[in-house]
């Protein structure tokens, strides 16, 4: 596309963050730097993305004028106090007192743990941050629930909002999946009334079963024994009964069942990538592009189910624009047919550890590799 007598190639770069390694904004910048080493006159438009997980607050903060962060001390996923933030967005006709954006990743996220805690990690801190935003008087909540550390069915967050979860003796159960397995009754009379609540999620999994929270996401959080997974799955099923919730509802399995808890509270689940893309006008940007690059830390068999790369690839397909993938790793079960070319940082660096140690360097290498791949395609055509 670029060359004598032709305008510079327009490239939209819209990756998610690479969890624990680099933010979406820095990942996009690094990819652009690498591409520019091969194609010096390329025209870049950086549109860092998020899907409800890590980076969601940052995406809204960058896109909305007048956004303001508020600090809050909450109980982290291990129960220890941590300092987090929630984001205030200015009033609109639909939200006269402003909107609060709160993400679970920064309050109860897996990256906040030094080691996995499958039985006692919980979502209490997320609920405390939500309560702080409600105390400030906001009329709308936007909640990102990716990157959870726990499988507590959202019990912790609802407890922070005034619910009570009791065992057979009428005592408050312990935090986390351990306490979830002991729940005999749920009391919601003290629960904070839900305002307009929109929940951004990157998955459509149901609460229970083979595609449920315990079976699919539990192992990522340290829940690996098949008997333990079955026990937690049964506890989640019992929780759904107590909350009078359909456990097959898409997205209720998100964030270890926090999606279910929020639906029970009165929230609406919505695809996170779509909401962020709308906010940053990504579809219009892609429509004017010659090439799109997207990516995430691990592109695997779950990436086709609401994650940023698959969503961006869909927008590119609708616009008839080729899309490229850069990922920290690309697993054998990943479906990559939507991408004209792909680059794995792990392959480029020689190991996952090396790639994570300097993600920016290897993202630059990936940008250059993708530029060369497109150049070769141009030459062949």
């Amino acid at each position: 596309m670029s060359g004598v007598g032709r305008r510079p190639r327009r490239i939209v770069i819209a990756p998610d963050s690479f969890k624990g390694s680099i933010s979406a904004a820095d990942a996009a910048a690094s990819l652009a730097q690498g591409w520019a080493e091969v194609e010096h006159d390329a025209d870049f438009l950086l549109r860092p993305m998020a899907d409800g997980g890590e980076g969601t607050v940052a995406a809204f903060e960058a896109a909305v004028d007048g956004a303001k962060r508020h600090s809050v001390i909450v109980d982290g996923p291990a129960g220890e106090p941590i300092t987090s933030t929630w984001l205030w967005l200015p009033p609109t006709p639909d939200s006269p007192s402003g909107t609060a954006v709160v993400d679970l990743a920064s309050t109860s996220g897996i990256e906040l743990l030094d080691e996995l805690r499958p039985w006692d990690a919980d979502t209490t801190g997320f609920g405390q941050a939500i309560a702080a935003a409600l105390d400030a008087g906001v009329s709308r909540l936007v909640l990102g629930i990716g990157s959870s550390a726990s499988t507590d069915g959202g019990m912790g967050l609802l407890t922070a909002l005034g619910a009570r979860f009791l065992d057979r003796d009428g005592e408050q159960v312990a935090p986390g999946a351990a306490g979830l397995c002991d729940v005999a009754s749920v009391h919601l009379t003290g629960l904070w009334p839900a305002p307009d609540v929109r929940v951004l999620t990157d998955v459509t999994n149901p609460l229970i079963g083979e595609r449920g929270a315990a079976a699919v996401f539990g192992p990522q959080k340290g829940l690996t024994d098949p008997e333990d997974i079955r026990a937690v799955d049964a506890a989640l099923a019992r929780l759904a009964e107590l909350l009078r919730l359909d456990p097959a509802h898409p997205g209720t399995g998100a964030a270890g069942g926090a999606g279910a808890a929020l639906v029970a509270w009165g929230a609406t689940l919505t695809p996170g990538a779509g909401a962020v893309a709308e906010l940053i006008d990504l579809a219009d940007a892609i429509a004017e592009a010659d090439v799109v690059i997207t990516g995430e830390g691990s592109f695997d068999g779950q990436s086709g189910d609401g994650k940023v790369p698959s969503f961006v690839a869909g927008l590119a397909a609708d616009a008839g624009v080729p899309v490229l993938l850069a990922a920290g790793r690309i697993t054998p079960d990943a479906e990559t047919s939507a991408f004209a070319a792909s680059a794995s940082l792990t392959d480029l660096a020689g190991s996952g550890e090396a790639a994570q140690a300097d993600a920016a360097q290897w993202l630059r290498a990936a940008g250059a590799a993708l530029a060369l791949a497109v150049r070769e395609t141009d030459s062949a055509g």
Side-chain angles (χ1 to χ4, degrees), residues 6-377:
R6 298 186 181 183
R7 65 169 173 80
R9 196 192 309 264
R10 293 175 180 166
I11 303 169
V12 169
I13 305 182
D16 198 353
S17 63
F18 286 52
K19 286 183 183 178
S21 299
I22 192 168
S23 70
D26 289 342
S30 296
L31 286 165
Q33 290 166 8
W35 189 290
E37 293 172 4
V38 175
E39 190 173 306
H40 307 298
D41 64 344
D43 179 17
F44 299 104
L45 184 59
L46 308 187
R47 287 290 185 267
M49 276 284 289
D51 55 17
E54 184 182 47
T56 297
V57 164
F60 276 83
E61 185 177 27
V64 178
D65 290 338
K68 181 181 179 182
R69 286 193 186 239
H70 292 262
S71 294
V72 59
I73 296 175
V74 302
D75 295 330
E80 297 294 330
I82 63 170
T83 299
S84 186
T85 61
W86 60 273
L87 185 70
W88 179 82
L89 305 181
T92 65
D94 293 333
S95 182
S97 299
T99 295
V101 184
V102 189
D103 69 53
L104 186 150
S106 66
T107 55
S108 306
I110 196 167
E111 298 296 333
L112 300 175
L113 293 177
D114 292 329
E115 59 181 2
L116 298 177
R117 304 174 70 108
W119 290 106
D120 61 0
D122 81 326
T123 55
T124 297
F126 186 43
Q128 291 169 335
I130 293 170
L134 292 173
D135 275 334
V138 299
S139 47
R140 173 180 289 175
L141 292 170
V142 175
L143 307 178
I145 61 170
S147 307
S148 167
S150 65
T151 312
D152 76 339
M155 187 176 67
L157 77 88
L158 289 183
T159 298
L161 292 171
R164 299 171 66 221
F165 295 83
L166 307 181
D167 62 18
R168 295 183 185 278
D169 297 324
E171 300 294 329
Q172 180 71 35
V173 300
L180 178 67
C181 290
D182 292 333
V183 173
S185 64
V186 177
H187 301 267
L188 304 179
T189 53
L191 189 62
W192 197 304
D196 178 2
V197 186
R198 187 180 186 188
V199 179
L200 310 185
T201 177
D202 58 0
V203 301
T204 58
N205 299 66
L207 181 63
I208 61 174
E210 293 182 356
R211 295 187 61 250
V216 176
F217 305 115
Q220 300 171 3
K221 302 163 188 179
L223 198 67
T224 55
D225 186 281
E227 290 187 9
D228 291 342
I229 291 172
R230 285 192 290 271
V232 175
D233 188 68
L236 290 169
R238 184 167 60 253
L239 180 67
E241 292 179 4
L242 293 170
L243 293 175
R244 299 180 181 179
L245 177 78
D246 178 9
H249 190 291
T252 51
L262 290 167
V263 168
W265 189 37
T268 300
L269 303 182
T270 189
V276 175
E278 180 181 352
L279 183 74
I280 64 176
D281 297 322
L282 184 60
D284 289 343
I286 287 176
E288 299 297 324
D290 298 308
V291 175
V292 177
I293 307 175
T294 187
E296 64 179 350
S298 177
F299 190 79
D300 53 34
Q302 297 176 18
S303 294
D305 196 13
K307 303 285 188 177
V308 164
S310 62
F311 181 84
V312 174
L315 291 181
D318 290 343
V321 178
V323 60
L324 313 175
L325 173 70
R329 64 169 185 156
I330 301 174
T331 63
D333 64 335
E335 176 54 61
T336 60
S337 60
F339 302 97
S342 61
S344 161
L345 274 61
T346 295
D347 291 346
L348 291 168
S351 71
E353 292 76 11
Q356 286 187 314
D358 195 346
Q361 173 189 342
W362 297 109
L363 278 161
R364 290 193 293 272
L370 292 172
L372 289 170
V374 169
R375 176 180 287 181
E376 291 175 4
T377 300

